[in-house]
Amino acid sequence: MIPLRRHLDRWLFRIGPPEPSPIVLGQRRIFVLPTPAGLAFAAALLVMLIASINYNLSLGCALVFLLGGVSVASMVHAFRNLLHLSFTPGRAEPVFAGESACFHVVVANHRHARRPSLRLKAHGAIVPFEIGAGDGGDLIVPALTAGRGWMALGRVRIETTYPLGLIRAWSVLVPDQRCLVYPAPEPMPPPLPEGASRNLGRRAGSTGDDDFAGLRPYQPADSPRHVAWKTLARGGPMLTKQFSGMDGGEIHLDWDDFPPDLDIEARLSRMTAWIVAAEQRGLAFSLTLPDARIAMGRGSEHSASCLRRLALFGKDAGADA
């Protein structure tokens, strides 16, 4: 069924690979059909016309033609509501498998007319919006993730039933946009493995649980008990507390150290959980995989690099381009 739908899309809507940005809706890309309400309205007009002719009601015929003209005019307005809209793919922050990815799509209206009652549909999500005259907007399209790796935004449909709901104008586009999905962390992983050498001692700027050292912007992987709830309650931004404490030494995450009965996805899930835990505690760690090795490091950039390796482990070499 899905291959048939793709062939139908390519033939009917001229859909192929992802399109370069910006994607502008020209007149050959916009399709117009009546809605169910529009079909019922047309059927009612047909009954009224037959009755007016049968009983020779000139006013009835005039009313039918007037309402028919209004419906035809609404078709033009629905078509013009989409004409020359511009779409540009935005950013998509990495997420863990099972979470909702947020694709940002920038919409621009270069006409001096408002564009009301618009809807963007992708991955089963419906995002209603409107654009002011000569204005633009950043739309967020949520999409539930399933597995790790790259997730493409894919087929997007933009539609409108403005102004009367009788006519639906729509277009289909495929932005060149994707989101990196990390493996889902293991819910209850074992404790972090001990490093071969642990240089315990006080280190300025390290993260521990002893002395309060300041606040930093909140990250999704932060522990709820480190969130500055009092600052948030006073109307401030969501921040995370930082502590200066004991350095936990170095941790080596090695693929070959796992039990042999763990499959590939289970190992990736456990490594992901350990990386998140090590970042929260400010520990330095290295990562060794069958096809790569990342040297010792710490911080959010180092964690993101390691998680990216785990997300793309075993994928095609061209997928990381």
Side-chain angles (χ1 to χ4, degrees), residues 91-163:
R91 67 186 186 279
E93 297 295 336
V95 295
F96 294 99
E99 296 179 347
S100 182
C102 294
F103 293 92
H104 291 255
V105 179
V106 180
V107 186
N109 176 20
H110 302 293
R111 281 176 47 197
H112 298 291
R114 186 173 66 96
R115 309 288 189 110
S117 303
L118 298 169
R119 292 184 298 274
L120 199 68
K121 295 184 177 181
H123 291 281
I126 301 177
V127 182
F129 69 100
E130 66 176 39
I131 301 292
D135 199 1
D138 186 2
L139 306 180
I140 299 178
V141 182
L144 188 62
T145 60
R148 61 183 176 89
W150 287 112
M151 177 181 182
L153 177 56
R155 183 178 186 269
V156 177
R157 185 171 65 184
I158 173 73
E159 67 177 27
T160 181
T161 55
Y162 175 82

Side-chain angles (χ1 to χ4, degrees), residues 1 21 51 97 108 210 216 228 231 271 303 314:
M1 185 66 184
S21 59
D210 292 353
R216 63 170 174 81
T231 303
M271 276 191 167
S303 298

Side-chain angles (χ1 to χ4, degrees), residues 246-308:
M246 304 299 290
D247 181 12
E250 299 178 346
I251 295 177
H252 303 278
L253 305 180
D254 195 329
W255 182 273
D256 295 329
D257 291 341
F258 285 90
D261 58 334
L262 281 182
D263 60 15
I264 293 179
E265 297 302 324
R267 296 188 184 202
L268 295 175
S269 179
R270 182 166 298 180
M271 276 191 167
T272 301
W274 280 347
I275 290 174
V276 172
E279 182 186 359
Q280 290 177 349
R281 293 171 54 181
L283 304 177
F285 62 92
S286 64
L287 179 66
T288 302
L289 298 174
D291 59 352
R293 186 182 188 280
I294 299 180
M296 192 69 61
R298 73 173 73 215
S300 58
E301 292 186 3
H302 179 66
S303 298
S305 177
C306 294
L307 291 173
R308 181 186 181 92

Side-chain angles (χ1 to χ4, degrees), residues 202 205-212 225-226 241-247 280-282:
R202 180 71 63 178
S206 65
T207 302
D209 294 320
D210 292 353
D211 301 324
F212 178 72
R225 65 189 182 92
H226 289 162
K241 299 177 183 178
Q242 283 185 308
F243 299 89
S244 60
M246 304 299 290
D247 181 12
Q280 290 177 349
R281 293 171 54 181

Side-chain angles (χ1 to χ4, degrees), residues 19-237:
E19 308 172 68
S21 59
I23 303 173
V24 181
L25 299 185
Q27 61 181 8
R28 296 176 63 87
R29 297 191 54 149
I30 301 174
F31 304 88
V32 178
L33 279 177
T35 63
L39 293 175
F41 182 76
L45 287 183
L46 180 60
V47 172
M48 291 173 58
L49 179 62
I50 294 175
S52 298
I53 295 175
N54 185 48
Y55 292 101
N56 196 21
L57 300 175
S58 57
L59 290 179
C61 292
L63 178 61
V64 170
F65 295 146
L66 175 62
L67 295 178
V70 170
S71 64
V72 173
S74 70
M75 182 185 306
V76 177
H77 282 281
F79 176 84
R80 287 175 56 84
N81 203 32
L82 295 184
L83 186 63
H84 296 154
L85 273 179
S86 174
F87 297 86
T88 304
R91 67 186 186 279
E93 297 295 336
V95 295
F96 294 99
E99 296 179 347
S100 182
C102 294
F103 293 92
H104 291 255
V105 179
V106 180
V107 186
N109 176 20
H110 302 293
R111 281 176 47 197
H112 298 291
R114 186 173 66 96
R115 309 288 189 110
S117 303
L118 298 169
R119 292 184 298 274
L120 199 68
K121 295 184 177 181
H123 291 281
I126 301 177
V127 182
F129 69 100
E130 66 176 39
I131 301 292
D135 199 1
D138 186 2
L139 306 180
I140 299 178
V141 182
L144 188 62
T145 60
R148 61 183 176 89
W150 287 112
M151 177 181 182
L153 177 56
R155 183 178 186 269
V156 177
R157 185 171 65 184
I158 173 73
E159 67 177 27
T160 181
T161 55
Y162 175 82
L164 301 177
L166 302 178
I167 301 297
R168 182 170 69 95
W170 84 96
S171 183
V172 178
L173 47 142
V174 185
D176 188 6
Q177 187 176 13
R178 58 183 185 174
C179 175
L180 183 60
V181 182
Y182 298 146
E186 187 175 359
M188 298 183 64
L192 285 169
E194 295 288 336
S197 62
R198 298 175 57 87
N199 303 318
L200 298 178
R202 180 71 63 178
R203 289 176 57 95
S206 65
T207 302
D209 294 320
D210 292 353
D211 301 324
F212 178 72
L215 298 173
R216 63 170 174 81
Y218 172 80
Q219 298 178 359
D222 290 340
S223 173
R225 65 189 182 92
H226 289 162
V227 175
W229 296 111
K230 292 183 179 180
T231 303
L232 184 63
R234 290 195 296 266

